[in-house]
């Protein structure tokens, strides 16, 4: 079963604009990670945020985590055509370390040149 | 760093046939994972190994599925008597040992697409 739900399911924006995706999850977590997947390809790790962190940056990416609301957001600034992909959040359980990641259903992002 | 390698990348098989996928993890990674992903969904956990020991299996892994990692290096995932519902992408991933409550990145391969006709 899917732990997380990404919102929106699909997002189309103009190149150069910022894209924000949200993820909600159901149970306590150790860490939350965001992955990108180009069509028909494997997943590429983007960023990891620990449960005791509230915000993290990596290049054009900004991730926030609100454990009280069991939600996270991924912001991609100054979007580029190459950012077109599906984005997934993934959580692990305190009971399992990160042996098992539980993924959301993903947000499909389209950047219009 | 050669990354996680999976083969074959694509497999079309007739219903009832057996198929096997191979995964070569990143060489220094002792943990190896198998996930399954269907169209429009996120990956779902199937099983994972630490070295050669299979430590957890999902309920998704029916008795037609078997995974092995005989020498703690590469792994195989075999599906016997394939059904149309097995059509999916099978993703392999690997990671280094983790410490309690510190995150560790899991690296995915490009996946193996299975189509059962």
């Amino acid at each position: 079963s899917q732990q997380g739900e990404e919102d929106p399911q699909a997002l189309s924006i103009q190149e150069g604009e910022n894209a924000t995706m949200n993820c909600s999850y159901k149970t306590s977590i150790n860490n939350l990670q965001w992955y990108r997947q180009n069509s028909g390809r494997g997943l590429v790790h983007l960023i990891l945020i620990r449960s005791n962190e509230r915000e993290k940056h990596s290049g054009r990416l900004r991730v926030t985590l609100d454990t009280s609301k069991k939600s996270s957001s991924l912001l991609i600034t100054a979007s580029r055509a190459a950012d077109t992909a599906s984005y997934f959040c993934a959580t692990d359980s305190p009971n399992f370390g990160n042996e098992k990641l539980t993924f959301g259903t993903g947000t499909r992002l389209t950047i219009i040149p | 760093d050669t990354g996680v390698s999976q083969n074959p990348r694509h497999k079309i098989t007739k219903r009832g046939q057996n198929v096997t996928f191979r995964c070569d993890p990143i060489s220094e990674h002792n943990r190896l994972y198998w996930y399954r992903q269907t169209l429009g969904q996120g990956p779902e956990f199937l099983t994972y190994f630490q070295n050669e020991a299979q430590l957890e299996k999902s309920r998704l892994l029916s008795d037609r599925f078997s995974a092995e990692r005989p020498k703690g290096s590469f792994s195989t995932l075999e599906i016997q008597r394939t059904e149309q519902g097995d059509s999916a992408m099978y993703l392999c991933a690997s990671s280094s040992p983790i410490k309690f409550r510190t995150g560790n990145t899991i690296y995915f391969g490009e996946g193996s697409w299975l189509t059962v006709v």
Side-chain angles (χ1 to χ4, degrees):
Chain A
S1 62
Q2 302 285 327
Q3 153 82 305
E5 293 286 336
E6 279 90 340
D7 168 48
Q9 290 188 333
L11 178 63
S12 292
I13 61 173
Q14 294 290 134
E15 190 169 19
E17 294 181 339
N18 297 341
T20 299
M21 289 159 272
N22 303 296
C23 165
S24 60
Y25 57 91
K26 298 173 185 174
T27 61
S28 297
I29 63 171
N30 256 350
N31 309 285
L32 185 143
Q33 306 184 49
W34 284 90
Y35 286 83
R36 184 187 73 222
Q37 185 177 38
N38 290 82
S39 182
R41 306 294 297 274
L43 284 86
V44 174
H45 182 264
L46 295 176
I47 195 166
L48 178 150
I49 186 165
R50 299 187 174 91
S51 58
N52 61 353
E53 297 176 314
R54 292 296 167 257
E55 187 171 314
K56 202 162 183 179
H57 297 254
S58 177
R60 294 184 296 114
L61 306 179
R62 172 178 171 255
V63 169
T64 61
L65 178 64
D66 186 336
T67 53
S68 67
K69 295 181 179 178
K70 292 187 171 57
S71 67
S72 173
S73 67
L74 171 67
L75 169 67
I76 303 174
T77 60
S79 62
R80 306 168 182 169
D83 294 329
T84 294
S86 292
Y87 291 81
F88 295 91
C89 67
T91 56
D92 61 27
S93 164
N95 297 323
F96 297 103
N98 74 343
E99 290 86 346
K100 178 171 70 176
L101 289 182
T102 304
F103 285 83
T105 50
T107 291
R108 189 160 64 187
L109 176 65
T110 302
I111 307 300
I112 303 166
Chain B
D1 179 7
T2 57
V4 178
S5 176
Q6 293 188 245
N7 65 81
R9 291 292 318 281
H10 301 272
K11 178 74 176 178
I12 300 174
T13 191
K14 291 184 178 179
R15 189 176 55 183
Q17 298 292 306
N18 299 343
V19 296
T20 299
F21 300 112
R22 175 178 170 129
C23 171
D24 288 90
I26 294 171
S27 59
E28 65 269 25
H29 287 181
N30 70 343
R31 293 193 176 206
L32 185 147
Y33 313 78
W34 285 99
Y35 284 78
R36 181 173 71 185
Q37 185 179 24
T38 53
L39 283 175
Q41 298 295 315
E44 294 180 292
F45 173 82
L46 291 179
T47 188
Y48 96 98
F49 293 83
Q50 180 163 306
N51 299 313
E52 65 276 10
Q54 189 174 17
L55 296 185
E56 188 177 350
K57 293 196 292 186
S58 162
R59 284 174 293 178
L60 293 174
L61 214 65
S62 76
D63 56 6
R64 296 185 298 106
F65 289 69
S66 62
E68 294 182 345
R69 195 182 182 196
K71 296 183 180 179
S73 57
F74 73 91
S75 175
T76 58
L77 176 67
E78 181 183 17
I79 308 173
Q80 296 182 324
R81 305 181 303 280
T82 52
E83 302 173 355
Q84 288 187 320
D86 298 331
S87 295
M89 181 162 67
Y90 291 86
L91 289 157
C92 178
S94 69
S95 70
S96 295
I98 61 169
K99 296 179 182 178
F100 179 65
R101 283 190 65 82
T102 60
N104 195 35
T105 299
I106 294 178
Y107 295 88
F108 282 84
E110 292 290 340
S112 292
W113 280 100
L114 172 65
T115 302
V116 181
V117 297

